[in-house]
Amino acid sequence: MAKYAYFLSRETSLGLYQPKPSRFLRTCSRTLNVIRKFADDRPAIILGIETSCDDTGCGIVDTTGKILSEAINSQHLTHLKHGGIIPTIASEMHRKHITTVCEDALRSANLRLRDIDAIAATIKPGLPLSLVVGNNFGKYLSRIGNKPYIPIHHMEAHALTVRMVQKVDFPYLVLLVSGGHSLLAIVENVDKFYLLGTTLDNAPGEILDKIARRLKLANIPEFSHMSGGQAIESAASKASDPTKFVFDPVLTRKRDCQFSFAGIANKSFRYVDKEEQNFDVADSTAIPDVYNFCAALQMSLTKHVCLRTQRAMEFINNANLISQEKRTLVISGGVACNNFLAKALEIVCSEKGFKFVRTPPRLCNDNGVMIAWNGAERWTANTGVLRDREEIEMVTVEKNASLGESWIERVEDANIKCKLVKLNSL
């Protein structure tokens, strides 16, 4: 990282070997940052760094929600060759590209580091080897630029991203579905969340990727460049008989908002094994009914997600936790890009009196913009913004981190019987 310091400092008009500022000067600088927040008419500008998994992202936004620039280095094709994300490879690629990505973002915005008001970076949850790269580089920029540092919870960032592009008032219900997470929560404010349910085993994006690999969808040319979830959605759209494969409902006796996708995955693997045996399928070939299978799989996953989300809505409605005129469901995360799932959730919202809001697909996947925006929200609320250098240097990453206060037992105690609304229009 240090070997890039000279180039970075040239681009940002910061010398690496600046004299170490005295305690008095550091205190004055911090005081000026606070004063400027309230006295300066211009919006604050936040640079965000995202390295929680396999993409190196940097985004720059201001506190009005204006995206000033974005740069990203995707590792998708690299990991696609390995059949999954290899943490050591992901970490090394982050180290290789993070300086260039951040410099590209600054250059695209026609800004220098001195123009940035604060640095935000994902520190939890995620792959530790990847998180460390972003956290260390974020602290490095904070140090050489004498900027405040804003540690970011990855899932909080996903939950708040939509507020950058659309007016969504607190509180609201959020569904986050991705390759690493699946959860339902009430977003009370920028740093207060009530967790209603999470996954008991695998995340939906994870099982979709695994099933796509087992189906060998990457060997079909039209799907070869897609992620597992994208390939399954595309294949499902070509189905002639979506009901040919049957998946049993999941967790039907559990009156809570918890998710489980392991059963769907295991059933899928058994189906594929059986189909391959019945049709003597070659090692590199997909099963003959792959389109119908993907459609049935997608429907099973969608119904499970919709039922848990519907129960969360009924829990909110029964306890009047959100006023009727403000009841909103926000969906985000990589799996929220699935149009079939989004349409089904929109039907549920319509039946239950919730406004449906979908984070723009380009912002659903991991990116630096969402981290910068979370930093901007925290800057505006003046919460979680670190200015003390010793405190900043002590920030560490966390592989696992729950979202907010758990209300899971509270939902279970409510014992809400829930019958999924009809999804006939899908």
Side-chain angles (χ1 to χ4, degrees), residues 14 43 84 130 137 178 180 197 201-202 237 308 332 382 400-401 404 409 411:
L14 290 166
S130 293
F137 197 77
S178 68
D201 38 61
N202 307 88
S237 69
R308 297 346 245 186
S332 190
N382 196 27
N400 301 308
E409 289 188 5
V411 176

Side-chain angles (χ1 to χ4, degrees), residues 127-423:
L127 299 176
L129 292 176
S130 293
L131 288 169
V132 164
V133 178
N135 183 43
N136 285 348
F137 197 77
K139 291 192 293 186
Y140 164 73
L141 293 182
S142 167
R143 184 169 60 252
I144 67 169
N146 196 24
K147 305 294 181 181
Y149 189 58
I150 311 175
I152 301 295
H153 188 301
H154 184 77
M155 302 314 292
E156 290 181 5
H158 272 305
L160 294 167
T161 303
V162 72
R163 285 169 43 86
M164 181 178 63
V165 295
Q166 187 169 341
K167 181 176 171 55
V168 178
D169 294 326
F170 297 123
Y172 57 88
L173 174 65
V174 67
L175 168 68
L176 302 180
V177 276
S178 68
H181 308 275
S182 181
L183 60 85
L184 283 158
I186 297 172
V187 184
E188 181 70 22
N189 56 45
V190 172
D191 65 350
K192 195 166 188 177
F193 300 78
Y194 302 114
L195 183 66
L196 305 183
T198 186
T199 183
L200 297 171
D201 38 61
N202 307 88
E206 176 191 357
I207 70 115
L208 289 173
D209 284 343
K210 288 180 176 178
I211 295 171
R213 287 198 296 271
R214 183 65 187 85
L215 288 168
K216 293 166 281 194
L217 292 181
N219 293 339
I220 301 175
E222 62 183 306
F223 306 137
S224 61
H225 64 289
M226 299 180 181
S227 67
Q230 291 172 330
I232 287 173
E233 181 182 9
S234 183
S237 69
K238 300 175 182 295
S240 58
D241 184 7
T243 62
K244 185 168 184 178
F245 295 88
V246 178
F247 285 82
D248 296 326
V250 180
L251 297 180
T252 54
R253 295 185 180 182
K254 297 288 186 180
R255 296 181 179 180
D256 56 27
C257 292
Q258 301 283 72
F259 297 95
S260 176
F261 300 98
I264 295 175
N266 291 334
K267 179 78 170 181
S268 296
F269 296 146
R270 289 195 296 271
Y271 264 138
V272 176
D273 288 343
K274 184 177 179 181
E275 289 290 295
E276 288 180 340
Q277 291 173 8
N278 290 345
F279 293 95
D280 194 22
V281 175
D283 289 344
S284 61
T285 307
I287 59 174
D289 259 333
V290 66
Y291 295 160
N292 289 330
F293 176 82
C294 287
L297 165 65
Q298 181 174 249
M299 178 59 82
S300 175
L301 185 145
T302 295
K303 285 184 174 180
H304 178 51
V305 172
C306 284
L307 181 61
R308 297 346 245 186
T309 305
Q310 181 179 324
R311 180 173 283 113
M313 292 176 179
E314 295 185 10
F315 172 76
I316 289 170
N317 290 351
N318 293 348
N320 198 29
L321 297 173
I322 301 176
S323 59
Q324 191 168 354
E325 68 276 6
K326 285 188 175 182
R327 288 173 187 167
T328 301
L329 170 69
V330 169
I331 67 168
S332 190
V335 178
C337 293
N338 184 293
N339 293 316
F340 187 85
L341 173 62
K343 185 176 180 181
L345 287 166
E346 192 168 9
I347 294 171
V348 175
C349 283
S350 178
E351 290 290 327
K352 292 298 168 182
F354 274 66
K355 180 182 178 182
F356 176 77
V357 178
R358 182 187 189 186
T359 302
R362 76 177 190 87
L363 295 175
C364 278
N365 291 305
D366 296 349
N367 60 85
V369 167
M370 73 178 195
I371 305 305
W373 173 247
N374 192 210
E377 289 249 58
R378 286 184 167 277
W379 178 274
T380 301
N382 196 27
T383 179
V385 181
L386 307 183
R387 293 181 171 85
D388 181 80
R389 178 52 48 195
E390 291 183 4
E391 189 177 4
I392 291 172
E393 295 302 332
M394 289 177 63
V395 174
T396 58
V397 304
E398 298 177 41
K399 177 181 179 181
N400 301 308
S402 60
L403 179 69
E405 177 185 341
S406 177
W407 277 15
I408 293 174
E409 289 188 5
R410 188 170 170 178
V411 176
E412 291 174 348
D413 292 342
N415 195 33
I416 300 171
K417 186 177 181 179
C418 187
K419 183 179 180 180
L420 182 62
V421 302
K422 294 182 178 180
L423 303 175

